[in-house]
């Protein structure tokens, strides 16, 4: 189970992926979800940590996680799951690519400061004391996005 997404939330977004359609029955499917949740959250944290103090989790309380990060983690994890497990006509299924690309774009906006995070009450999450407010130098998340379309 991740900090932003859960195997249950991913199961709801990909109905009938798991045997028995439940995370309690399909250990292999749950492990796939867990691996891709970890990947998605690592990507998100690498961007968000440049502007915000992590972790958002205090103890075991997950209410401190901005809802937008939950959505991004779920969309990215679903895409990674589908890309890594299903094929059709020799190509990876990409029906979730639009949500993934939107998530990567939104994540880029958070990293560049164009979009601020808010908590569950709607209050803006304060920036980290160490936040780098200068424009990004070198490759950005969006400039690296081509690699995800390259496999098509």
């Amino acid at each position: 189970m991740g900090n932003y997404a859960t195997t249950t939330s991913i199961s709801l977004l990909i109905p009938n992926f798991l045997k028995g359609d439940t995370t309690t029955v399909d250990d292999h499917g749950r492990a796939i979800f867990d691996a891709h949740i970890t990947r998605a959250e690592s990507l998100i944290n690498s961007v968000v940590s440049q502007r915000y103090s992590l972790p958002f989790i205090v103890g075991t309380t997950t209410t401190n996680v901005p809802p937008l990060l939950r959505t991004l983690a779920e969309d990215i994890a679903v895409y990674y799951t589908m890309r890594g497990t299903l094929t059709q006509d020799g190509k990876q299924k990409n029906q979730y690519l639009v949500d993934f690309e939107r998530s990567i774009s939104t994540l880029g906006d958070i990293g560049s400061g164009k979009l601020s995070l808010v908590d569950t009450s709607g209050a803006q999450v304060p920036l980290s004391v160490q936040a780098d407010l200068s424009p990004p130098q070198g490759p950005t998340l969006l400039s690296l996005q081509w690699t995800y379309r390259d496999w098509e």
Side-chain angles (χ1 to χ4, degrees):
M1 183 168 113
N3 291 320
Y4 307 153
T6 65
T7 56
T8 301
S9 67
I10 300 302
S11 177
L12 294 173
L13 294 169
I14 314 174
N16 303 314
F17 183 91
L18 297 174
K19 292 178 194 168
D21 209 22
T22 174
T23 58
T24 58
V25 173
D26 189 350
D27 290 336
H28 179 68
R30 189 175 62 244
I32 290 170
F33 286 173
D34 278 332
H36 294 301
I37 288 169
T38 299
R39 291 179 65 210
E41 291 184 2
S42 295
L43 174 65
I44 291 168
N45 286 342
S46 69
V47 173
V48 171
S49 67
Q50 296 173 34
R51 299 186 60 81
Y52 299 94
S53 295
L54 296 179
F56 290 111
I57 306 297
V58 178
T60 58
T61 304
T62 61
T63 56
N64 300 336
V65 175
L68 179 59
L69 293 187
R70 290 185 192 284
T71 301
L72 296 176
E74 290 168 353
D75 286 348
I76 293 169
V78 164
Y79 172 73
Y80 284 158
T81 299
M82 299 307 283
R83 185 190 71 178
T85 57
L86 299 176
T87 60
Q88 179 178 339
D89 298 330
K91 290 187 177 184
Q92 299 294 334
K93 275 194 163 203
N94 63 8
Q95 65 191 57
Y96 297 95
L97 185 60
V98 172
D99 289 340
F100 173 78
E101 289 178 331
R102 183 182 60 243
S103 296
I104 294 297
S105 177
T106 301
L107 193 54
D109 288 346
I110 293 168
S112 69
K114 292 179 185 174
L115 183 65
S116 297
L117 292 177
V118 295
D119 62 21
T120 55
S121 70
Q124 186 171 338
V125 175
L127 292 176
S128 166
V129 175
Q130 297 89 5
D132 181 6
L133 302 179
S134 60
Q137 302 295 317
T140 64
L141 186 62
L142 293 179
S143 69
L144 299 176
Q145 185 177 347
W146 67 268
T147 59
Y148 295 103
R149 278 226 178 248
D150 196 42
W151 54 263
E152 288 188 312

